Amino acid sequence: MVFIPSGALVVGTPPDFYPRLADEEVPGEQVIVGGFYIDVFPYPNEEGAIPLTNVTAPDAKQLCADRGKRLCGELEWERACKGPDQRPYEYGDRYRDDACGTGTPPQLRPSGLRVGCRSDFGVRDLHGIAFEWTSSPFRRGTTGDLVAARGGNGTSGELVGRCANAVGRAPDAAAASIGFRCCAGALGAPEVELSVRHPRKLEARDRLDSALVAELTKTLPDEARASLLRHGAIEADRQWTWWPAGNDELTIMSFCAGTGRRALCGVLVARVVLGKAKALTWADGGTWQPMLHAENDPRDIWLLGGDDPGAFRRRMTYQWGHVSAGKREKRPVNLKEERGAPKRGGPR
């Protein structure tokens, strides 16, 4: 085993980091975790051994107790993974699929094969093999008796391979993809209790917020700003609030410059935290004033725009805290929709 000294843990993922699951992770709050011991490898904690899986959470608890140990709390597990420098991955600040063999479905292999899959505390194979039971309940706005499991593997390696990633599983769910490791010493870490707010909607604001206009204007990407200025003075036109995922409120603002055929408009998607905005993406809407249309899936919305060739739309997709804008697609003009939208330029 290795000893993890008492110290600070930045729990979860701060709002301005990517990837992030806002409805499952604490937004980077600091707690103090007491000192404890943790097994270097998954149970049976032997280099070269195949980790034991297909055990329930109670069975894992008993197997640890038989060795005079206990299951780790999930925040103890996270501290052992992040190390003293709060790294998002046990091996560093950037994702590498070769370090722990992540990016594939969970599969068993002997412990210790991936020499680079170790945290700065010396704990190994926290990812890349099986998920690991913890002693902590999984409380992320969920109902039912779920237990938090950490580590593991999955095809979305950049997401699953983070120290902050957790999944909730029924305690009696024995599976080939779930094992465990043991800890020892007094449990000195709090439990995660995350309240999840999820309106799941796109909402147009009645008026512009002048403070947000100033803040978002400052965060326009350089290329977007230069393009707009070539057409005239930059003006904010509309504002929306978008909830693509629980606990992640985004602000969308449309900007235009110029009039008529010389107009250029687009939308900026940003995350505003404590009054400071971070631009996530910019998408031009042509010469027409942009409109937005929500899909059934709150993670997708359509930017409706147009120019001299005609009307078009662009899908804007949210994934793990990031937003991307797709290419232009032709769309039929909805006359009722167009009559209700003031334009810089439009169909002629």
Side-chain angles (χ1 to χ4, degrees):
M1 304 184 82
V2 295
F3 180 69
I4 311 297
S6 175
L9 168 67
V10 178
V11 183
T13 307
D16 56 345
F17 278 67
Y18 171 86
R20 171 176 175 255
L21 296 177
D23 54 355
E24 294 186 8
E25 298 169 17
V26 175
E29 297 176 8
Q30 181 171 294
V31 301
I32 299 299
V33 178
F36 62 98
Y37 289 89
I38 186 170
D39 285 349
V40 173
F41 297 104
Y43 190 94
N45 193 28
E46 297 173 8
E47 187 168 7
I50 299 293
L52 179 65
T53 61
N54 279 307
V55 293
T56 66
D59 288 341
K61 178 180 178 180
Q62 184 59 52
L63 287 167
C64 286
D66 290 345
R67 293 189 171 190
K69 303 177 185 181
R70 58 174 174 81
L71 282 177
C72 307
E74 67 166 318
L75 293 191
E76 290 179 324
W77 193 102
E78 187 170 331
R79 173 155 166 77
C81 184
K82 287 184 172 179
D85 295 326
Q86 314 295 337
R87 300 184 186 278
Y89 303 94
E90 57 259 54
Y91 46 80
D93 297 325
R94 295 178 178 273
Y95 173 65
R96 296 187 358 246
D97 58 5
D98 63 315
C100 294
T102 48
T104 67
Q107 52 187 316
L108 296 180
R109 65 167 183 263
S111 295
L113 285 185
R114 299 272 180 171
V115 178
C117 188
R118 62 180 292 151
S119 76
D120 288 343
F121 284 132
V123 186
R124 300 179 62 180
D125 292 337
L126 289 160
H127 288 96
I129 307 181
F131 289 90
E132 299 180 7
W133 288 118
T134 72
S135 63
S136 301
F138 187 81
R139 296 172 179 157
R140 272 77 164 176
T142 53
T143 58
D145 183 23
L146 298 179
V147 174
R150 293 295 190 118
N153 206 345
T155 53
S156 302
E158 184 180 8
L159 181 75
V160 177
R162 297 169 308 131
C163 295
N165 194 67
V167 296
R169 295 289 184 265
D172 58 352
S177 60
I178 306 179
F180 64 101
R181 78 175 67 211
C182 303
C183 283
L187 177 61
E191 303 291 11
V192 175
E193 183 108 27
L194 185 65
S195 176
V196 179
R197 183 186 178 203
H198 200 339
R200 300 178 68 88
K201 64 181 180 180
L202 174 71
E203 184 176 63
R205 294 301 185 184
D206 294 334
R207 65 186 67 182
L208 291 170
D209 182 312
S210 58
L212 273 179
V213 170
E215 179 65 20
L216 267 66
T217 300
K218 290 191 303 184
T219 61
L220 279 168
D222 292 341
E223 185 176 350
R225 184 187 307 278
S227 296
L228 288 166
L229 288 174
R230 284 195 290 269
H231 292 78
I234 300 174
E235 298 178 10
D237 279 335
R238 289 183 172 185
Q239 181 180 328
W240 296 262
T241 299
W242 182 22
W243 291 87
N247 292 353
D248 205 0
E249 176 183 346
L250 305 182
T251 297
I252 304 177
M253 192 168 289
S254 65
F255 291 90
C256 290
T259 58
R261 292 176 180 273
R262 288 193 53 77
L264 178 65
C265 298
V267 297
L268 176 69
V269 183
R271 181 177 292 111
V272 181
V273 179
L274 299 177
K276 298 296 183 182
K278 180 177 181 180
L280 300 180
T281 194
W282 163 265
D284 75 87
T287 61
W288 300 9
Q289 185 186 58
M291 297 182 65
L292 298 178
H293 172 70
E295 289 278 270
N296 291 330
D297 187 334
R299 293 170 296 183
D300 290 321
I301 58 176
W302 288 99
L303 163 63
L304 309 179
D307 48 25
D308 280 344
F312 65 81
R313 64 181 185 174
R314 300 181 67 179
R315 185 190 295 272
M316 304 179 73
T317 300
Y318 173 96
Q319 185 182 49
W320 310 332
H322 179 70
V323 177
S324 59
K327 296 180 179 179
R328 292 185 178 189
E329 302 177 15
K330 290 184 179 180
R331 70 179 178 93
V333 176
N334 183 319
L335 294 181
K336 181 179 178 181
E337 168 191 292
E338 297 303 338
R339 290 192 192 103
K343 308 175 189 57
R344 296 297 178 121
R348 295 171 174 81

